[in-house]
Amino acid sequence: MSDLSEQNNVKRTWEKPEGASFEDWMNTRIARYSTRQYDWNALKFQADFDPKYGRAQMRYIGTGGTGVASDNNVVPSEHFTFSTMVIPPGHEGPSHLHVDVEEVFFVLRGKVKLTLEKDGEYYETVLTDRDVVSIPPGVYRGEINVGDEEALMCVMLGSKKPVTPTYPPDHPLASIKR
């Protein structure tokens, strides 16, 4: 079988299931806030190492890059993931690297210091309400809530299931196995 014919036989998550009504199909494409829960365990291995890494993910489309293998309560995805992240004051997402995807942070509310590094070059800025950044693959990124209130941001990754991110070799989380 050729690659093209194999691709044509692959069932895409966005295709209407056989026998489903249009309404039923469209309802599988909606993730309502009322049916979401914050998952404080998705990155618990980091918070177990140091409580400052405690933060929660609320998944909407796909499972994201946190390492959650599956979540039956999300809209399936072919090419990206979308979630929200709550970061308590003073907490942080440690510097990490995605080798295969862009990552987008859109701050809905709060004050988040963004740290970026590649090949020894370093950049730091603060994102606030409705600021967005698109971080290319191969750039280390970390975020710290430098505000007095909980920060809330949208996170989008450009892959259905990205490669699990890694940490800088000298970062304490680099030796943690999950």
Side-chain angles (χ1 to χ4, degrees):
M1 198 180 256
S2 74
D3 287 342
L4 183 56
S5 61
E6 284 180 24
Q7 289 175 356
N8 290 337
N9 289 327
V10 172
K11 183 73 172 165
R12 302 287 184 196
T13 61
W14 61 64
E15 293 176 354
K16 181 180 170 189
E18 192 172 323
S21 71
F22 183 71
E23 179 180 354
D24 288 343
W25 176 38
M26 288 298 98
N27 279 327
T28 69
R29 310 298 301 167
I30 298 169
R32 299 193 186 277
Y33 176 72
S34 62
T35 64
R36 308 293 100 196
Q37 292 183 349
Y38 276 114
D39 182 353
W40 290 90
N41 292 319
L43 296 162
K44 187 177 180 306
F45 72 96
Q46 294 175 351
D48 286 347
F49 179 80
D50 190 323
K52 73 180 179 182
Y53 298 129
R55 57 205 193 286
Q57 179 190 45
M58 185 179 284
R59 293 175 290 280
Y60 285 86
I61 300 174
T63 58
T66 58
V68 173
S70 68
D71 181 342
N72 294 332
N73 195 37
V74 300
V75 173
S77 173
E78 289 294 323
H79 301 289
F80 69 97
T81 68
F82 182 87
S83 62
T84 58
M85 185 75 65
V86 167
I87 307 173
H91 286 222
E92 65 183 81
S95 181
H96 63 284
L97 175 75
H98 292 281
V99 296
D100 60 331
V101 295
E102 292 173 85
E103 185 169 32
V104 172
F105 298 146
F106 182 88
V107 177
L108 293 167
R109 69 171 184 261
K111 191 174 179 181
V112 177
K113 181 169 76 172
L114 179 68
T115 58
L116 303 168
E117 187 272 324
K118 181 171 177 59
D119 300 329
E121 292 188 68
Y122 184 81
Y123 177 73
E124 182 178 295
T125 191
V126 174
L127 303 176
T128 60
D129 297 9
R130 299 186 184 180
D131 289 344
V132 65
V133 61
S134 176
I135 306 159
V139 174
Y140 280 101
R141 74 282 322 255
E143 63 278 351
I144 303 167
N145 181 349
V146 294
D148 296 328
E149 298 178 357
E150 180 178 270
L152 175 63
M153 64 183 196
C154 297
V155 179
M156 191 169 92
L157 290 163
S159 175
K160 177 180 181 176
K161 179 62 180 136
V163 173
T164 303
T166 59
Y167 306 98
D170 60 342
H171 193 282
L173 287 174
S175 62
I176 299 292
K177 301 293 180 215
R178 46 176 158 162

